[in-house]
Every structure is written in C-alpha cells, then in structure tokens.
Amino acid sequence: MSTVKEQLIKNLVVEDKISHQKITVVGVGAVGMACAICILLKDLADELALVDVAEDKLKGEMMDLQHGSLFFATSKIVGGKDYRVSENSKLIIVTAGVRQQEGESRLSLVQRNVDIMKSVIPALVQYSPDCKMLIVSNPVDILTYVVWKLSGLPAARIIGSGCNLDSARFRYLIGEKLGVHPASCHGWIIGEHGDSSVPLWSGVNVAGVALKTLNPNLGTDSDKDQWKNIHRQVVESAYEIIKLKGYTSWAIGLSVTNLVESILKNLRRVHPVSTMVKGLYGIKEEIFLSVPCILGQSGISDIVKVNLNSEEEDLFKKSADTVWNIQKDLVF
Amino acid sequence: MGWAVGVCWASRRVGAARARFLSVGMAPGPRQPAGVPLGGPCSVTPVSRMATVQGELIKNLTSKESVPHNKISIVGSGSVGMACAISILMRGLSDELALVDVNEGRLKGETMDLQHGSLFVKMPKIVSSKDYQVTANSSLVIITAGVRQKKGETRLDLVQRNLAIFKLMISDIMTHSPNCKVIIVSNPVDILTYVTWKLSGIPQTRVIGSGCNLDTARFRYLIGQKLGIHAGSCQGWVLGEHGDSCVPVWSSVNVAGVPLGDLNAQLGTDQDPERWKDVHKEVVSSPYEIIKMKGYTSWAIGLSVADLAESLLRDLRRVHPVSTIVKGLYGIREEVALSVPCVLGADGIAGLVQVKLTPEEEARLKKSAETLWGILRALEV
C-alpha cells in the first residue's frame, strides 16, 4: 500500500544530500546558541550543525531550534557528540571552553581551554579539511594561535573573533555620546581582545571628520570631555555584564554573525579580527592579535596596514607582550 | 544680543554633552537631539566656553523629542523574553524595545548585552527598567513574565503561581500604554489570556494569547520532516488549548491544496498504518522533552512570537492560531480563551476564521473549554 508521501509527490531527482553552505557551531552554551540563532535569523547557512559533549543539552537545543523551522530558511539542523556531524562544513565556529567567572580575567582560563582545543580541533579538521575556523573561546588571541598550531591549516583560514566585538561596543558608545547610529561612527580597537586592547583615537571619525581634529586631547587623560572613559567602558563591559547576568551572549552572537556573513558571502569587508601578526609593528613572535583584516571566502586574505602613532604602537607592543607572556608557557 | 545668544547656544551644547554622559544601560537613546536644554528655557548663565566634539561636529537642526513608532515592550527578561527580544531585534520590527523585569541585575546585564550589538541591528533604542514607565507608548506589549514550568509539571499547575504576578503587572502596563495590543506568552497561556483581558478591561481584540501558534509550527515542521518538504509548504492547524489537550485538525492538513486525508482515509486515527497521529503526539510531548534536556524552551517560542508581532505591527492580516475568547463558537458557552485561526493586524484580532470541525474535534474543544472554565471559576480574578 503506498504512503501519503508516495501518493502526493512524484519524485524526479534523487536528492543530493551535500550542503553547500554548512556551518558548524562547536559548543552549545550561551555564546554558541546566540551565534546559532543569529545565523539562522540572517539566513547564512543551508545546514547548521551543533557539536558538544553535553548530549542532553545539545539535543534539547537542537530540537528547540528545529521547532522554529517554519520561521526561517535553514532546512537542515543537526547535532551530535560525534564530530562526523560537522562533516563538509564551510565554516566552523568554536565557542567551546570554560567560561570566565566573575572577576576572572580571560588569560586565566588559558590552560583549561587549550586542553579542550586539543580534543576538539583535530577531529574537526579531519571532517572538514577545507573549512575556515572562527575562534570565539577566550582568551581568543591565544586560542586562535593554539588552534592554528593544532589544525595545521594555513593562518589565513583561522580567524579569531578578536576585537570585532570591542570595536562594536566602542562604536556604540561613541554613537551614544554623539547622538548618531553606531554604523555612522567609525572607530577601531586593535590588539588583545581584553584588558590591553588599543583604541585608535586618531582614526575615530564621523563622515570622514576625525574627532581628534575637533578635540586634540581626545582619548588622553587631559581630555576634559573624558572620551578615554569610553575605551575603559569597552574593556570593563564584559566583566560588568558577567556580574549582572552571568555571561555575555547577544552582542558576541551578533558580532560573530557579522564576521560569518563577510566570510561566506566573500564580501571583503574589513574587520578587526585576530590573526598572525609576526612581522608587523616590529613584532617578532608568532602571536595572534587583532588588526584590520579583509575577510572573504579564503578567510583572511589581506591585512590593512594602519599607521600607528608612536603611542599606539607602544600600546600594541604592550598588548603583544601580554599575550606572548602567557603563550610562551603553554603546554600542548 | 548676539553674544547672549552665543553663550546660550554654548551652554545648551555643554549641557547636552554632560547629559549624555550616562552609564551604559540607561536611557536616553541616541535619538535625543543635542539641543535639549538641561534646565528650562535658554538662560544666559556663565558657563565654560569649551565646545564639545558633538557641538563642533554636528549642526543640529531639529529639537523635537523623537516619538516611538511601533514600540515593543517585553515583560520578563528570562530565556523566553530574551529569545523574543533577539528575534524581534534581528527582524527589525520596531524602532524601540523596552524590557521590564523585577530582577534588576539580570535585566541590566541583558539590556547592556543587547545594546552592545547595536552596530549590527537596526533598532536604535533599547531601554529597560524595573519601572513600567519605561514601557510608555508601546504599540505592543509581550508578557513572558511568570514562573517556569517545572519538570513534569503541567501547565495548569502553574496557574495560581502566575495569577498574583499578573494582577500587579496588567494595571501598570495599561497605565502607560492604554492603546497597546498585548501578546501573552506565559503559561498556562489560555488561562492567562483570559485573566489579562479581564484585568485590563481592554477589548478582546487587543488581547492575543500566543496559544497554539507554536504547536502549529511544530506540527508543520514534523509533517514536513515526514514528507521531505519545508514546513512553510505544509499546511496544518493545531487549535484549542495550548498544551496536552491541543487538537490537530487533520482535515486542514494539506500540501499544495491536496488534503492528506484524501490520500489516507485513516489519517490521524489509531488505525493509520503510517501513524500520522504520532506527529501530534510529538507536538505535545516535545516541550517536556526539551525542558528535561535543556531546562526550558526558548528559541522556537521566541521566533513564533516575533512572527505574531510582525503581523500585528505591519498590519499584515495573516492568519495565525492564537488564543482568544471563543464563547459562542462550536457550542462553547463559557467565556474562555482557546486558539482558533485569527486574522492579525494593526487593531489586533481583526477577524476569526470559522473552521469546520468534525464532531469529535468540536467535542474536544468543548471539553477544553469546560476544564478551563472550571479553573477560571476557582480563581480570584
């Protein structure tokens, strides 16, 4: 007796089950799920895979997303503990790792998260040897380096989410101060995603008008308008939000989705993301820090060479030292 | 009086710059114009001649305070409320989003986290407060506040716990947004939809329970999985009580206008060899399953609520299965809320679609109505 499906549908073509725009999210904590929902709402993937060790939570999250299928256009959502589920991904977003506790700096998480990467990365590469990887777990600059080493992939394909979020926060706060949408306030934060990040005050502008020409003290301690506070708020905001709600999720999810869009659609937009900066600004070690990068289907295809003034270069080098000091003692 | 005007102008700019120096997470939003004087009309006061960057950069032209269009307020910053928030934000459904919660710490953290994503979205004003004043002039208020269903707890057991919260909440909401539409999400949604209507005193048409919108979405997803077709192309309706007693209207299930019941006369019955009835079983059981596995459900309900919000705010007049007062339909004599297909637009529920139900389906709706009325009668509303 024929089924409803057989009676209803005359099949013409055997379904090609290969996805063309598959994204895997590793880690279904608050950050991973925020990335997932934002990716779904922006229609960036035809298949979304979720991977985690916590099987129950993973299945629950996967089902919850699937049940929303009527409302978005990603027809395949899968999940599993086995990395095979990530096979054939164009892009893998790594959010796995232990989270910052209240008051804990990103750097203190290091060794715990390095060990997690050792168990995660080789399997991902095995199933998606051509993928790009977007690292979100903290401390992101060090972990992007670690993933680069563990994966054996070219540095261009390993992207740390880095200062994309810091710069977004920076532009939001500048926008609040000026009464202008953040998208029209341009400003870059580079270096370490963390306490030693470097705000490029000389580049902060609206409609090409550098704020520094209007206020030469912009960003200094002698600035009566205290613009420096904005950078301080950027650095502290994660700690503050963690204290209030336990973790951050929405802003990082939106920022990661912004990067995903540039990569998968080969937009060649410029983002401050974490990449290998040996050779830039006099840096001699193999470290990863955020600088403005051109993102497209190859990953990071180019770096924009920003002219830093001597003070900014100093701060950038300090950022590099901060990161190298931890990285050099890593065991893996 | 040129110089007096000049000083006045400078004082307004300085004042405005100081006014904007608030900690993140507080109103006002970026739309507040530079020229708003701090204290009353322009007066010639000796102030520093320091010009701010803002004043130097931007020549201000309008001084009108911006009025929100389609403002949405969400009551409750828990998982469901925040899932609604992110869905609404990413769909860009309004120009202002307000969040309310009693848990001030979590509320502030969630608000800051959303605000920090402002670069990536097109909703310029995100505010929050414990005080319902922040919801003033909302077009739509979404109520997600309430205690969470415990593992194994039925929705009906939640009732008494949620009623006390609603009494305080509804009067505050109506005070500040007397013309709003309200979407109720908190469970048990059909009961709380009725409660909201009674407590608010606003017309039934402006009180919308999220009801079976999500059950129907799940139903269509699962039908789609069975047929290898996207949920959007599988039509089917789940009506009545949101929860264990929801009614799958098998006669409504069709693809491209072809009713599946024409292809399988046993569709949805116990005799059906294809066991389509299991699809409905899964609609009922899956929320409990998800709660057991991740502690709560959030993403699907958030997406489904944003879908309702879109119909209401954009006056789309799409038809959704939502909870409304159904006295007089299907022989129901009690004043209860159950889900039926409703046309949703700018005025709220603009119309009801009168679905022809089988006698068995009608009987189930009537039974739900009786059960709900039994509870409502016992409640002190």
Side-chain angles (χ1 to χ4, degrees), chain B residues 83-127:
Chain B
C84 293
I86 193 71
S87 300
I88 285 165
L89 219 57
M90 291 201 73
R91 295 255 188 258
L93 294 182
S94 77
D95 56 354
E96 184 171 342
L97 177 68
L99 302 173
V100 179
D101 202 311
V102 291
N103 183 337
E104 287 181 278
R106 177 177 73 188
L107 179 64
K108 185 175 178 199
E110 292 288 7
T111 307
M112 282 174 72
D113 205 2
L114 290 180
Q115 287 168 334
H116 289 174
S118 292
L119 173 61
F120 308 114
V121 297
K122 289 178 179 157
M123 281 182 58
K125 197 165 173 187
I126 301 169
V127 293

Side-chain angles (χ1 to χ4, degrees), chain A residues 210-271:
Chain A
L211 299 200
K212 203 147 184 161
T213 59
L214 304 176
N215 177 354
N217 289 325
L218 194 83
T220 65
D221 290 317
S222 45
D223 173 15
K224 289 201 178 74
D225 218 4
Q226 288 294 292
W227 280 85
K228 193 171 182 171
N229 259 335
I230 285 190
H231 177 246
R232 187 186 51 77
Q233 279 180 286
V234 170
V235 168
E236 287 175 4
S237 50
Y239 298 112
E240 215 189 322
I241 295 176
I242 289 170
K243 211 160 94 178
L244 294 167
K245 67 173 250 194
Y247 54 89
T248 86
S249 58
W250 306 121
I252 183 67
L254 285 163
S255 139
V256 163
T257 302
N258 177 243
L259 299 175
V260 169
E261 191 182 29
S262 287
I263 296 168
L264 290 185
K265 293 185 176 174
N266 195 27
L267 294 181
R268 296 185 65 79
R269 289 189 296 204
V270 185
H271 299 268

Side-chain angles (χ1 to χ4, degrees), chain B residues 140-141 143 166 170 174 179-185 189-211 308 312 322-325 337-338 342 344 347-350 352:
Chain B
L140 179 63
V141 178
I143 301 179
F166 268 65
I170 301 302
M174 292 307 149
N179 300 314
C180 70
K181 295 163 289 279
V182 183
I183 295 179
I184 298 93
V185 188
V189 65
D190 302 296
I191 296 212
L192 293 176
T193 301
Y194 172 89
V195 163
T196 301
W197 171 53
K198 278 289 169 190
L199 291 173
S200 66
I202 63 177
Q204 292 173 13
T205 50
R206 282 168 41 200
V207 181
I208 301 114
S210 69
L308 298 178
L312 292 166
V322 289
S323 194
T324 184
I325 307 297
L338 290 172
C342 295
L344 293 187
D347 296 325
I349 300 174
L352 298 175

Side-chain angles (χ1 to χ4, degrees), chain B residues 120-185:
Chain B
F120 308 114
V121 297
K122 289 178 179 157
M123 281 182 58
K125 197 165 173 187
I126 301 169
V127 293
S128 70
S129 174
K130 193 170 77 159
D131 186 341
Y132 281 85
Q133 168 75 41
V134 80
T135 67
N137 299 314
S138 295
S139 294
L140 179 63
V141 178
I142 299 169
I143 301 179
T144 72
V147 288
R148 220 185 240 181
Q149 222 169 321
K150 293 202 188 101
K151 271 184 201 162
E153 187 184 31
T154 68
R155 291 181 180 110
L156 289 175
D157 289 341
L158 289 179
V159 178
Q160 206 64 58
R161 295 208 282 153
N162 273 322
L163 180 59
I165 299 171
F166 268 65
K167 279 185 174 160
L168 301 167
M169 196 196 309
I170 301 302
S171 86
D172 274 336
I173 291 172
M174 292 307 149
T175 301
H176 292 106
S177 306
N179 300 314
C180 70
K181 295 163 289 279
V182 183
I183 295 179
I184 298 93
V185 188

